Amino acid sequence: MAYEGERVRLRAIEPGDAETMFRWINDREVTRHLDLRYPTSLEWERQWASDAKQRGGYRNVTFAIERREDGLLLGTCGLHGATPEDRVVELGLNIGEKSMWGQGYGFDTLRTLLCFGFREMNLRRVYLHVMEDHPRARALYERAGFEYEGRHRESRWTRGQATALLTMSITRPEFDERYGAAEEVGDVPRR
Ligand SMILES: CC(C)(COP(=O)(O)OP(=O)(O)OC[C@H]1O[C@@H](n2cnc3c(N)ncnc32)[C@H](O)[C@@H]1OP(=O)(O)O)[C@@H](O)C(=O)NCCC(=O)NCCS
C-alpha cells in the first residue's frame, strides 16, 4: 500500500533501498541533527531494510519517501510507539537526499504522513523532538502546524557542544482545522 501526497509517495522500504540509505546514514551533514554518530555498515543497512516488513504495523510504521514524478528515493519517515489506549506516536523524518532540501518535499511528506496518522490510524496526537539548533526543521514543523510544548536543556551533544531538545506536537483537532476534512490521504488541501 502506498500513500500519495502532492509530490511525494510514501511506500514500504524495500531491500533495494539499502545502498542509497547507506550513503545518507554515513553523511555527517545529513545525520547532524539525527543523533547518529557511529558508522553504519552496508550489511547493517541491508538488514534494516529487509527487516522493514516488521515495521509496517500500527505500533511502528516506517515509509520510504519517493518523488512521484520519477520514483527518486528522497528519504524515510515513520510513526513510532502507537498504543490503542493512548493513540499517540513519535514522528521521524529524514530527507536523506540533501540536494533535494529546501524544495518543499519535507512539507509534502509531513502533510501526507500526518494525514495517514490521523485518518488511517485514528491517532489523537503526533509529537516529535527537534534540536534547538536546527532552524530548517523547526521552520518546517511550525509551518505544518506543530506547537512547541517543551524544552529539554542540554539534552544532545553534537559537534562538540550541548544543545537543547524541543518537543513539538499536533493534535487531531488542530490538524483537521488546519487542513480541512478531506476523506483520504492525498486529498488534503495545501494550507
Ligand atoms: C529538516 C528536513 C526534513 C527539511 O526538509 P526539506 O525538504 O528541506 O523541507 P522543506 O523544503 O519542505 O521546508 C524547509 C523550510 O525551511 C526553510 N529553511 C531552509 N533553510 C533554513 C534555514 N537555514 N533556517 C530557517 N529556515 C530554513 C525553507 O525556506 C522552508 O520553508 P518555506 O517552505 O516556508 O520556505 C531535511 O532537511 C532533512 O531531512 N534533514 C536531514 C535529517 C533531519 O535533520 N531531519 C529532521 C530531524 S528533527
Side-chain angles (χ1 to χ4, degrees):
M1 187 90 78
Y3 295 92
E4 304 217 326
E6 214 168 73
R7 299 164 61 209
V8 302
R9 177 179 299 113
L10 305 188
R11 61 152 173 85
I13 293 172
E14 301 288 351
D17 298 330
E19 277 73 11
T20 305
M21 295 190 315
F22 170 73
R23 174 164 54 79
W24 301 336
I25 219 77
N26 286 294
D27 181 333
R28 278 168 62 80
E29 203 183 347
V30 175
T31 60
R32 178 182 178 130
H33 296 100
L34 290 179
D35 204 22
L36 294 169
R37 51 175 65 79
Y38 300 110
T40 306
S41 74
L42 181 54
E43 197 46 44
W44 291 346
E45 206 52 44
R46 285 189 177 132
Q47 189 65 47
W48 190 81
S50 60
D51 284 350
K53 59 179 178 299
Q54 290 166 27
R55 298 189 301 272
Y58 181 73
R59 194 170 165 80
N60 193 6
V61 54
T62 314
F63 289 108
I65 309 162
E66 66 177 29
R67 190 160 63 176
R68 271 180 63 171
E69 64 182 76
D70 58 2
L72 176 73
L73 186 59
L74 295 170
T76 56
C77 64
L79 299 171
H80 311 290
T83 64
E85 295 83 6
D86 295 326
R87 291 157 51 211
V88 170
V89 292
E90 178 171 2
L91 181 146
L93 172 61
N94 176 24
I95 305 289
E97 205 56 59
K98 62 186 179 188
S99 61
M100 297 293 146
W101 289 351
Q103 299 181 40
Y105 292 115
F107 184 75
D108 196 32
T109 299
L110 262 189
R111 208 171 54 107
T112 310
L113 187 59
L114 287 175
C115 193
F116 175 81
F118 289 123
R119 302 255 155 80
E120 297 282 327
M121 293 175 68
N122 196 20
L123 297 171
R124 294 187 312 116
R125 172 176 172 269
V126 175
Y127 73 94
L128 56 84
H129 298 300
V130 57
M131 291 186 195
E132 191 170 50
D133 65 349
H134 196 356
R136 180 193 299 272
R138 290 174 57 183
L140 170 62
Y141 300 140
E142 285 174 27
R143 192 154 77 83
F146 282 79
E147 299 280 337
Y148 289 102
E149 60 182 29
R151 179 177 187 273
H152 308 269
R153 60 188 176 152
E154 306 232 1
S155 281
R156 288 289 180 270
W157 183 262
T158 53
R159 306 299 199 271
Q161 63 181 32
T163 186
L165 206 57
L166 308 176
T167 306
M168 303 179 78
S169 72
I170 183 166
T171 63
R172 173 124 174 211
E174 288 165 355
F175 177 82
D176 286 343
E177 188 181 341
R178 195 171 191 94
Y179 294 95
E183 292 298 314
E184 289 178 25
V185 174
D187 283 351
V188 184
R190 272 191 104 88
R191 196 166 53 87

